Amino acid sequence: MDYFIELFCSGLTRGSIYALIALGYTMVYGIIGLINFAHGEIYMIGAFTSFIVATVLSIYGFPLAAIVVVAGVAAAIWSSAYGYTVEKIAYKPLRHAPRLAPLISAIGMSILLQNYVLLAQTSDFLPFPELIPEFAFMEPIAHIIGSSDIVILLTTTVVMLALTFLIKFTRIGKAMRATAQDRTMALLVGINVDRVISATFIIGSALAAIGGLLIASHIGQINFAIGFIAGIKAFTAAVLGGIGSIPGAVLGSLILGLTESFATGYISSDYEDVFAFSLLVLILIFKPSGLLGKAETKKV
Amino acid sequence: MMNKLILEVSGLTMDFGGIRALDRLDLDVRSKEIVALIGPNGAGKTTFFNCLTGIYLPSNGDIRLVSPQTGKESRLNGLKPNKITEKGVARTFQNIRLFSQMTVLENVMIGRHCRTSSLILGAIFRGRKTRKEEQETIDKSYEILEKVGLAEQANEFASNLSYGAQRRLEIGRALATEPFLLLLDEPAAGMNPQETADLVSLILQIRDEDHAILLIEHDMKLVMTLSDRIFVMDYGEKIAQGTPAEIRVNRAVIKAYLGEDVESDNA
Amino acid sequence: MITVKEVKKSLLVSLWFVFLTFPLMVIKVNPYERTVSWRWSNMLYVAIGTFVISLLAKAWFVRKERRMARQQDSCRSRTPIIQKILQRPGYRYPLAAFLLGAALAFPQLFSTYQANIMTTALMYIVLGLGLNIVVGVAGLLDLGYVAFYAVGAYSYALLNLHFGMGFWTVLPIGGLLAALFGVLLGFPVLRLRGDYLAIVTLGFGEIIRLILENWNAFSKGPSGISNISRPGFFGMEMSLDQAMIYMYYLMIGLLLVTIFVVNRLQDSRLGRAWLALREDEIACQAMGIDKTRTKLIAFSLGAFWAGLIGVIFAAKTTFVNPASFTFMESAIILSIVVLGGMGSIVGVILGALILVLLPEYLRALSEYRMLAFGAILVAMMIFKPEGLIAGVRRVYCYQGRKRNTALKNDE
Ligand SMILES: Nc1ncnc2c1ncn2[C@@H]1O[C@H](COP(=O)(O)OP(=O)(O)O)[C@@H](O)[C@H]1O
Ligand SMILES: [Mg+2]
């Protein structure tokens, strides 16, 4: 039973990290209908930035709390900056191009960013500093759920609540929802669609950066290629939940996290990634609109 | 009632989430007839075409097609669009959907696709049968281009044509599929008077070549001169039907168009 | 042409990039020795580089706009010189004959090593032409193309290992197996929208690779299968050099066949349907084209070619392992198609030669190879989506009553 709970908890942790990345996919898709292939790379850059900042600060002897905060903020800022720039360079000029063009451009961006980090930094796996301490009060249940799992779950919950608030009640959130529903209409009622799109990329990237920081300190190492698999998995989660739907992304991520956790725990860990990919292929074939997405008839 | 029935639609309903775009619509078309479908914007006319051609799956109702040549009867509900085209129904689109990166002639040749059959091996080895088929495709497409007055521009890109010419090319492309029922969605939209006049004679010519035509159009003069019968729609419902003379004096139609009495419209 | 305002803008862009790349380009930490190195010189390179690129991009857009304006005035599209040469039969055939002669003489004039590199380039050309059917002509973004390549390679490796089957027997089998995989995958997924198709094929490619990596009993896992037989030539014994050169000529032969077939396919009822599908699926269906079937044919034909080259790859290297079939391989082939020009045979050949030979001969560049591929995909989409050489539409001749109408237009 303990094993089951352990797998359940690690599945939730996994799932909540996927959710942080999946939200970026789903939000961007909701607004401009594009699969942002480079989103996994934004997450990787978030992890890398936090790695660099945290390591520098720890070398210069800063206290742990300061390191965590500064590394988190730096990761969010730079990931957002990358997300914003990627949109401006690779997607914005192609808004009216044939449908294949932005997709190819996105794939190019993903390859470009991955290799940029590889060349600017290194291809080796790097040890990520331990940012989350083992809490003493966690001692009795440490064998089923670690401190970092708790921190990850709490952080993602807070972030989700903040995002929900932002989208429901703020001005930019309302503009985002309007743009997602009907871009032309939003434009006509005076919403600055360019700004909304930029904001979407910035918010999605910041979320991915937080995910990057959390998972890197959870796993303890990073390299330039982590974005690829994480990106596809988060995308799977977003599609599972129904792409374009924010609650769907969270639901899909949790389901994916749990599935993976149980499948690797009870079946075999060799095929960890195969489970996710197979799930992706199966959903797209049998229910492409996802769990919470709505099936739409394209207007002709 | 001398002409044979070729299309009979009964109780056709189409829901989009909460919106009912078509509400228990009945309609029939007989061979060699020009039938007009009119109504204000958003009445559901294009939706009706989309249901007929299999692009939307209707929520309810029945679409029956009878081939005038063979007398064979078939239900169109749930058939794929390409099957419906094979059965002899072709259409144009309200928002022109030509293949803009292909030449004018090639656009029409695409229409011949469902009347030809060569596949991979035919394409690679190009045997006698394939060559004959290809040449036939080219020749027939050319003839159609001459009919719609575009033979001169055969090798231009479709996107380089003027607006009116693009609409004629859409008609030509549809004709290439050898339909007995042709659906035209606002063919005169955006045309100048001269182009409209040409269009009228083209439509009449097509009718005389044994095609029945179902026509959505806003240009009332054109509708009144061309059609044998008119169906009027509003809010997804049929509000009137009859000959042009009858429709001209129909109270419900006048109300729908001029909106005399807005409250009772919503009832 | 470049105003002060634009220079100022470019300065801002370059400043932004200095900020953007600061943590990754400037700071480098060594977490083991706990040292930090600040690489300030990189900042300068980034500043200068982005400034220049930004100015060039601006200039390009200005030029493009002018050209568009001029085109609208004269109502005539300007075709590039290469295109004009290619369109003239008078130039085209001598040029093709010359290239063929050069290709045939190549191993005689240069070393076996060079011939070997060329063989690789030829393989990528054929892979590019295969993918071109799928992506360029039919407009189906297949990101798992490498999976079919892997199917071909492993069919030969395994059939050779277990049953001792020879190259020439397995060549068609490998192609057909790959095509079968294409049908099996394509049947359910080709109904999907374009972007979903891209992701599913990507996932499929990864599944195949992961299975090859982990199913040791079947594929011998990451260590792969070695000692695969080279192709035979009527039972002749060949030295390594001879075998390489034989491989080269074999590839030339396959390339010629591929060009012939692809050319015929493009210029056929099927080819037109693919092009039309790429543009507008709904209009296609309304014209009576069976969408799924037509796509499936393109998809599995592309897979067939990947399978063929897979078999050849296994025979050439005499060794296969899963590491040869990563997503990056699919990305390289996609870059070839995109750079060359989607739907253009000459374009794909040119694209493959550039992308394979350039990093090979400019060793200094090879480190930046993947970076460049990424940049190419983005830059081509923004600046020149039609590729280096755009596909040309054919002019058809009408044999009916007005025999001359077609010829008149064909200046
Ligand atoms: N794919 C669709 N999804 C949702 N609503 C649709 C769709 N297609 C049409 N509609 C709605 O159906 C109604 C009828 O539209 P349409 O048939 O285009 O009208 P018309 O052609 O008569 O102007 C409109 O309210 C339109 O918004
Ligand atoms: Mg309409």
Side-chain angles (χ1 to χ4, degrees):
Chain A
M1 194 58 203
D2 268 7
Y3 187 51
F4 178 84
I5 297 177
E6 188 189 329
L7 290 179
F8 185 79
C9 291
S10 84
L12 278 188
T13 310
R14 244 176 220 264
S16 52
I17 301 264
Y18 290 155
L20 286 174
I21 313 173
L23 282 169
Y25 277 113
T26 248
M27 284 163 56
V28 166
Y29 192 91
I31 302 264
I32 54 174
L34 167 77
I35 297 177
N36 180 11
F37 268 93
H39 191 60
E41 269 38 82
I42 299 290
Y43 147 86
M44 178 269 293
I45 285 176
F48 240 101
T49 309
S50 58
F51 158 78
I52 291 172
V53 172
T55 312
V56 168
L57 292 183
S58 85
I59 289 173
Y60 291 143
F62 282 78
L64 188 64
I67 296 179
V68 173
V69 171
V70 176
V73 170
I77 288 178
W78 262 285
S79 277
S80 305
Y82 273 95
Y84 171 84
T85 313
V86 164
E87 195 271 328
K88 283 276 180 282
I89 294 181
Y91 307 148
K92 193 168 173 222
L94 299 174
R95 257 182 228 161
H96 304 286
R99 65 203 162 87
L100 226 49
L103 214 53
I104 291 176
S105 179
I107 293 159
M109 249 316 159
S110 160
I111 298 172
L112 180 75
L113 288 176
Q114 225 180 82
N115 287 278
Y116 153 68
V117 174
L118 165 73
L119 291 168
Q121 295 284 321
T122 170
S123 63
D124 302 332
F125 269 96
L126 296 164
F128 199 85
E130 213 170 286
L131 296 183
I132 306 168
E134 289 296 326
F135 300 120
F137 65 87
M138 291 287 298
E139 201 68 56
I141 49 165
H143 60 292
I144 42 177
I145 181 161
S147 301
S148 61
D149 294 272
I150 293 284
V151 172
I152 289 173
L153 287 175
L154 282 179
T155 317
T156 34
T157 313
V158 171
V159 169
M160 299 293 165
L161 289 178
L163 181 71
T164 314
F165 176 81
L166 181 107
I167 288 177
K168 277 239 154 74
F169 301 112
T170 63
R171 222 179 126 77
I172 187 75
K174 283 177 190 160
M176 280 163 80
R177 278 185 291 148
T179 312
Q181 244 179 37
D182 191 334
R183 193 154 98 206
T184 328
M185 209 54 196
L187 203 72
L188 288 178
V189 298
I191 291 175
N192 184 340
V193 172
D194 279 346
R195 184 129 40 129
V196 169
I197 294 175
S198 289
T200 310
F201 272 84
I202 288 173
I203 295 169
S205 304
L207 293 177
I210 296 171
L213 170 73
L214 289 175
I215 202 163
S217 63
H218 183 58
I219 292 177
Q221 59 173 8
I222 58 166
N223 96 337
F224 74 98
I226 57 172
F228 181 66
I229 293 283
I232 296 184
K233 286 190 180 168
F235 176 77
T236 306
V239 173
L240 177 58
I243 195 147
S245 151
I246 288 180
V250 178
L251 180 68
S253 301
L254 293 180
I255 292 177
L256 179 67
L258 289 171
T259 312
E260 273 194 348
S261 182
F262 286 123
T264 51
Y266 287 121
I267 305 174
S268 153
S269 63
D270 286 348
Y271 290 99
E272 184 185 331
D273 296 338
V274 176
F275 294 125
F277 291 134
S278 313
L279 190 63
L280 172 66
V281 174
L282 291 178
I283 316 156
L284 284 181
I285 292 170
F286 293 108
K287 197 163 187 334
S289 59
L291 296 173
L292 301 186
K294 42 190 187 306
E296 266 185 38
T297 318
K298 206 167 149 254
K299 208 160 170 174
V300 173
Chain B
M1 289 290 123
M2 46 199 177
N3 289 345
K4 278 181 290 188
L5 191 69
I6 57 168
L7 176 77
E8 187 175 31
V9 177
S10 48
L12 195 68
T13 304
M14 178 82 216
D15 293 320
F16 295 110
I19 304 170
R20 172 155 290 195
L22 290 180
D23 195 1
R24 285 161 296 163
L25 204 74
D26 299 325
L27 184 149
D28 62 292
V29 179
R30 286 158 192 284
S31 61
K32 298 182 205 169
E33 198 179 30
I34 298 180
V35 176
L37 191 58
I38 63 173
N41 269 326
K45 306 178 297 290
T46 300
T47 304
F48 178 69
F49 271 19
N50 286 337
C51 288
L52 263 184
T53 49
I55 289 170
Y56 293 165
L57 185 66
S59 321
N60 220 324
D62 210 39
I63 306 167
R64 224 161 47 88
L65 191 74
V66 187
S67 161
Q69 288 106 27
T70 62
K72 234 177 74 185
E73 199 184 303
S74 43
R75 273 191 81 210
L76 299 187
N77 308 48
L79 282 189
K80 284 208 242 157
N82 54 301
K83 289 283 169 227
I84 294 176
T85 309
E86 271 175 39
K87 287 195 183 300
V89 181
R91 69 173 291 179
T92 66
F93 293 90
Q94 180 179 350
N95 320 307
I96 301 176
R97 302 187 83 122
L98 289 169
F99 307 112
S100 54
Q101 303 290 307
M102 301 173 86
T103 65
V104 170
L105 182 65
E106 281 175 315
N107 266 276
V108 182
M109 287 167 82
I110 289 290
R112 299 287 312 155
H113 189 94
C114 59
R115 304 294 168 215
T116 45
S117 63
S118 87
L119 277 178
I120 305 176
L121 293 182
I124 295 175
F125 297 109
R126 225 174 257 177
R128 191 136 56 126
K129 195 167 144 270
T130 312
R131 275 193 315 239
K132 186 160 158 265
E133 191 182 273
E134 268 300 271
Q135 198 54 54
E136 232 173 61
T137 301
I138 297 168
D139 293 349
K140 287 202 170 149
S141 304
Y142 242 108
E143 280 160 24
I144 287 174
L145 281 185
E146 280 172 356
K147 187 185 301 178
V148 298
L150 291 170
E152 293 292 314
Q153 285 107 307
N155 291 313
E156 300 249 356
F157 280 107
S159 52
N160 290 350
L161 293 184
S162 72
Y163 199 71
Q166 292 197 3
R167 289 223 174 267
R168 281 205 307 272
L169 179 54
E170 273 225 338
I171 296 178
R173 189 177 67 170
L175 283 178
T177 67
E178 297 178 3
F180 58 81
L181 175 61
L182 183 62
L183 313 180
L184 304 178
D185 198 343
E186 304 198 9
M191 283 189 171
N192 63 34
Q194 180 55 46
E195 286 174 325
T196 309
D198 291 345
L199 180 73
V200 168
S201 58
L202 175 63
I203 292 178
L204 287 173
Q205 185 192 350
I206 293 170
R207 194 264 315 269
D208 293 340
E209 285 165 6
D210 272 5
H211 299 276
I213 292 167
L214 187 54
L215 171 78
I216 296 177
E217 189 46 68
H218 282 303
D219 183 338
M220 276 310 133
K221 207 168 121 246
L222 186 145
V223 169
M224 294 296 167
T225 45
L226 274 180
S227 358
D228 300 309
R229 284 185 301 143
I230 299 175
F231 287 79
V232 190
M233 286 178 68
D234 198 11
Y235 293 108
E237 283 180 74
K238 181 170 74 184
I239 56 171
Q241 79 180 78
T243 62
E246 288 163 3
I247 293 300
R248 211 187 296 269
V249 295
N250 187 303
R251 284 195 54 81
V253 177
I254 295 168
K255 198 161 73 186
Y257 269 89
L258 302 178
E260 270 179 357
D261 190 354
V262 182
E263 281 112 30
S264 60
D265 254 351
N266 295 338
Chain C
M1 190 150 120
I2 292 166
T3 61
V4 178
K5 205 177 118 212
E6 273 161 10
V7 172
K8 264 192 202 156
K9 258 196 184 155
S10 294
L11 272 177
L12 279 179
V13 168
S14 116
L15 215 59
W16 169 253
F17 272 92
V18 165
F19 161 75
L20 193 66
T21 57
F22 173 73
L24 287 162
M25 289 293 283
V26 174
I27 312 176
K28 181 153 185 185
V29 292
N30 185 329
Y32 304 104
E33 290 167 11
R34 301 187 61 76
T35 52
V36 187
S37 53
W38 301 84
R39 303 169 295 175
W40 295 109
S41 55
N42 280 352
M43 193 180 250
L44 190 68
Y45 301 147
V46 167
I48 297 172
T50 48
F51 178 72
V52 172
I53 291 174
S54 160
L55 270 186
L56 288 177
K58 288 255 163 58
W60 171 279
F61 279 120
V62 169
R63 223 185 62 161
K64 193 169 174 183
E65 243 160 59
R66 288 225 186 108
R67 200 166 10 158
M68 297 273 257
R70 218 176 318 137
Q71 247 176 49
Q72 256 160 16
D73 284 348
S74 63
C75 264
R76 252 209 160 304
S77 56
R78 210 186 51 134
T79 28
I81 299 173
I82 315 178
Q83 212 116 326
K84 268 188 195 147
I85 293 177
L86 290 173
Q87 271 165 324
R88 286 267 169 90
Y91 293 126
R92 191 157 64 177
Y93 294 114
L95 192 70
F98 169 75
L99 286 178
L100 183 62
L104 288 177
F106 190 85
Q108 260 63 50
L109 301 175
F110 297 92
S111 67
T112 315
Y113 171 75
Q114 304 291 342
N116 204 20
I117 291 175
M118 265 302 170
T119 311
T120 309
L122 291 172
M123 285 168 57
Y124 276 101
I125 294 178
V126 176
L127 282 172
L129 288 173
L131 186 63
N132 187 38
I133 301 177
V134 186
V135 180
V137 180
L140 307 166
L141 189 51
D142 179 358
L143 297 179
Y145 197 58
V146 75
F148 305 120
Y149 182 45
V151 168
Y154 269 87
S155 337
Y156 182 42
L158 289 169
L159 289 174
N160 187 261
L161 178 73
H162 295 302
F163 307 106
M165 286 167 80
F167 172 82
W168 290 106
T169 328
V170 183
L171 187 63
I173 297 179
L176 289 175
L177 265 178
L180 181 70
F181 266 79
V183 173
L184 289 181
L185 174 70
F187 197 70
V189 307
L190 284 173
R191 285 175 305 135
L192 296 173
R193 274 202 332 254
D195 38 6
Y196 280 5
L197 178 72
I199 276 272
V200 170
T201 49
L202 176 75
F204 174 74
E206 287 296 295
I207 290 175
I208 295 274
R209 187 179 60 80
L210 289 166
I211 288 176
L212 290 174
E213 217 157 69
N214 289 300
W215 191 3
N216 289 318
F218 173 71
S219 64
K220 298 202 167 181
S223 51
I225 300 170
S226 48
N227 286 326
I228 304 167
S229 325
R230 289 178 193 281
F233 187 65
F234 302 110
M236 238 168 66
E237 282 290 316
M238 276 185 280
S239 70
L240 188 62
D241 265 13
Q242 283 170 324
M244 298 263 195
I245 290 173
Y246 175 44
M247 211 68 218
Y248 174 87
Y249 283 115
L250 200 149
M251 270 316 301
I252 292 274
L254 183 64
L255 175 61
L256 290 178
V257 172
T258 309
I259 292 176
F260 174 79
V261 169
V262 171
N263 197 22
R264 284 237 157 147
L265 280 171
Q266 282 194 6
D267 180 19
S268 72
R269 167 178 180 266
L270 208 50
R272 286 190 301 269
W274 288 334
L275 273 184
L277 265 178
R278 180 175 81 178
E279 281 201 52
D280 189 334
E281 291 188 3
I282 287 176
C284 270
Q285 285 186 293
M287 288 304 113
I289 292 175
D290 188 333
K291 179 171 97 172
T292 316
R293 197 167 84 140
T294 311
K295 283 185 182 176
L296 201 57
I297 294 174
F299 200 68
S300 46
L301 263 176
F304 179 78
W305 255 270
L308 288 187
I309 296 294
V311 175
I312 292 178
F313 172 77
K316 174 171 178 275
T317 55
T318 69
F319 169 70
V320 292
N321 76 343
S324 308
F325 307 106
T326 60
F327 168 66
M328 285 305 147
E329 206 66 26
S330 295
I332 293 173
I333 305 168
L334 180 67
S335 310
I336 288 174
V337 176
V338 168
L339 175 69
M342 293 205 258
S344 151
I345 295 178
V346 182
V348 169
I349 296 176
L350 198 66
L353 289 178
I354 293 174
L355 290 188
V356 178
L357 297 185
L358 220 55
E360 201 64 55
Y361 287 116
L362 297 172
R363 277 281 162 197
L365 285 186
S366 65
E367 206 182 325
Y368 298 95
R369 196 170 122 113
M370 286 315 298
L371 187 79
F373 287 163
I376 283 172
L377 288 179
V378 179
M380 291 306 285
M381 285 302 112
I382 298 171
F383 296 114
K384 217 166 173 342
E386 73 279 8
L388 290 179
I389 295 179
V392 198
R393 298 312 312 144
R394 202 190 131 188
V395 173
Y396 293 89
C397 293
Y398 176 48
Q399 310 232 305
R401 279 166 295 151
K402 277 197 187 167
R403 192 174 273 271
N404 296 328
T405 31
L407 301 174
K408 240 188 331 198
N409 288 336
D410 186 23
E411 309 176 336

